[in-house]
Amino acid sequence: MTTSEHIQPGLAVSGPSKHVTSYRTWLFSGGWPRFEGWPAKNVHTDLEFALACGLPVRGASGAMLQAYLAELIVDLFGEDWLTRGRLDLKFVRLVDIDDRIVAHGVVTSRQQDGSVELDLWCQNQRGEKVCAGTGRINRA
């Protein structure tokens, strides 16, 4: 789907709930799964490593949250997002293993040239924002 008249300010969209599992985190942040020692030990894959770095949990990668938002926006704008979209995010809370994350967006403006701006965020099962930011798709 491309930007059309139905995408107007106030339109709210939400993605499906994503279950952050150890296995998904290992696949995303653990390196190539066919090398010896997989998954690589880092703050995303290994609790002892994360604790040694001063974190209370091993947190999911912020890029995972970005991917959940990208899926939401591509569903809304189609391939146009891939060539004309921009995403600016801040990661505000650690995402723990077994959290369930939902991506959300609200269209905040639509310009005469068809450009669209959105507020974007992901929240966990407790309703806490774990990342927040803005998106824009330029049409001109």
Side-chain angles (χ1 to χ4, degrees):
M1 171 184 335
T2 58
T3 306
S4 63
E5 293 305 314
H6 77 278
I7 298 177
Q8 295 294 327
L11 175 67
V13 293
S14 297
S17 178
K18 302 286 190 173
H19 185 195
V20 178
T21 65
S22 289
Y23 186 69
R24 285 182 178 181
T25 303
W26 294 339
L27 286 173
F28 200 88
S29 300
W32 185 248
R34 294 183 186 229
F35 77 87
E36 187 176 326
W38 182 83
K41 293 190 184 307
N42 58 52
V43 297
H44 307 299
T45 62
D46 185 79
L47 180 58
E48 288 181 21
F49 192 100
L51 294 172
C53 291
L55 296 174
V57 299
R58 59 185 171 112
S61 170
M64 288 177 73
L65 306 176
Q66 184 178 0
Y68 299 157
L69 286 166
E71 177 184 31
L72 178 74
I73 299 166
V74 168
D75 285 349
L76 186 61
F77 294 106
E79 291 182 17
D80 284 348
W81 175 260
L82 301 175
T83 58
R84 293 190 280 270
R86 178 185 169 116
L87 182 63
D88 293 307
L89 290 177
K90 291 183 181 180
F91 302 97
V92 297
R93 184 177 301 272
L94 280 172
V95 173
D96 201 356
I97 303 305
D98 284 331
D99 276 355
R100 295 186 183 271
I101 303 299
V102 176
H104 299 276
V106 174
V107 176
T108 57
S109 72
R110 180 185 174 95
Q111 307 303 313
Q112 283 188 326
D113 68 0
S115 298
V116 176
E117 294 182 1
L118 306 99
D119 281 339
L120 299 165
W121 69 96
C122 288
Q123 66 186 48
N124 63 21
Q125 70 277 7
R126 292 176 296 282
E128 301 165 330
K129 285 187 179 177
V130 295
C131 72
T134 59
R136 178 176 175 84
I137 183 166
N138 295 313
R139 300 300 295 168

